[in-house]
Amino acid sequence: MTAEQALRPLPGDTGEPPPGIFSRQYAAATLTFATVMFLTGFAALAVVPTLPTAAEDLDGVSLFPLVAGGFVAASLLGGVLGGHWADRSGARRPLALGMVLSVVTLLVSASSVSVWQLVAGRFVDGLAAGMVAVSVTTAIGQSYPEYLRPRMLAMMSASWIIPSLVGPPVAGVVAEVWSWRTVFYGLAVLTALPAVALVAVLRKAPSAESDRTPPAGERASRPPLLVAGMLSLGAALGQYGVSGWDARHLLFVAVGVALLVVFAPRLLPEGTWRSARGLPTAVLLRGLTSGTYFTVEALVPLMLITERRVAAVTVGVAFTASAVLWAVASWAQGKLLQDVARHRLVTVGGLIMAVSIAFAVAGSFAGVSPLLAMVAMPLAAIGMGMLDPCVTVLSLSHSSPDRLGHTTSAMQTNMNLGQVVVLAFATAVLNAGLAAGTSRLGGYAIAFSLLLVPTLLVAVVAGRARKDVPGPG
């Protein structure tokens, strides 16, 4: 009997419906994972608005791209470490270490005496975040049968709603009344006790069949640390390079791109870039969608505030609406649309994102209401909320139980690569347009237009990620 068969009653075995995520069997795990994601979301969303103030206070404004981008670069390495560790000994240890490390990095950042200490704190925080993200997804794959995974992934998205509503404004008030350091210290205190409780719960929890340490012959190979490190370095150099456009910065960009091209394929399934059927396409979809969405989330507010003169409070409403609608769409795909084939929902989500890009382009013209561009953010969030859990479910369906960590680390790696590459490419196109004499709004319109390519590509290749087994759809 497989682990899933043991967890899920067969239709003819009992007259009772199969257990849900809050049933007695799964309630403790569900609440634990939800708490972890809530704290992760709150820390991430509360810290980011304070980073510019911290960089200015530490006389490091010129290094702000590295302060912000170092987190993403390190999460590449954290995802690889956490995924391979989870495959070798279960998801508990990397999850617990990631939570404890998050507390330590908040204290390191809070006590920064130079911008380089802040960079170091953010880098280690990204390392911890990568481990936590991969470990949670792996733990869901190890702890829940396939029919409950979409609901759990929707729960993970819902856990970000309250942090998205209260995190940034509360952090802004605290930084204004006291200091940015208080924000970091406060988050460390809020995270410390739940992190300790999580470690205790994970240590006392009974070992599941899927959480056992596999025999030596079945264990995943050790993580390619050099490859992961070079990939993180390439991402960091690229983030630093786009902070300027002189010869030195362009050299950093060139080196960063070279490292990504050489080392990224070694951490991804073979055939990812050519959309080979199965897991490679699922991994490709994660990179395309996450890169597009977070580029929209970065450039649309920048354009609205600096060029269209939309009030920051109004733009903040779009952020809040995006978080809520992402969670609603995620809940809908896991509850109302659970019988629809996952790859078809990915196609629909990709088309919704393409429509959102069209709104962003339209809102870039001076004679058009900027509210059109603002609509792009919640629309893109609906598309992501619908397709993102489906992409994860598809990837897990192509992975054997002892390779779940490897699969989730590949997904995390390409997600971060997508964010780095798509945003950097869009920014380069924007700046190139400006250098060629295009108006600033015209430059944004060109950059947004190019984002139609990855969204339409998602809709076209989604079917290649399906698992060809008998079932609905």
Side-chain angles (χ1 to χ4, degrees), residues 63 133 227 424:
L63 289 175
V227 174

Side-chain angles (χ1 to χ4, degrees), residues 65 111 132 262 289 310 378 385 399 413 447 458:
S111 59
V132 169
V262 171
T289 55
V310 176
S399 180
T413 296
V458 166

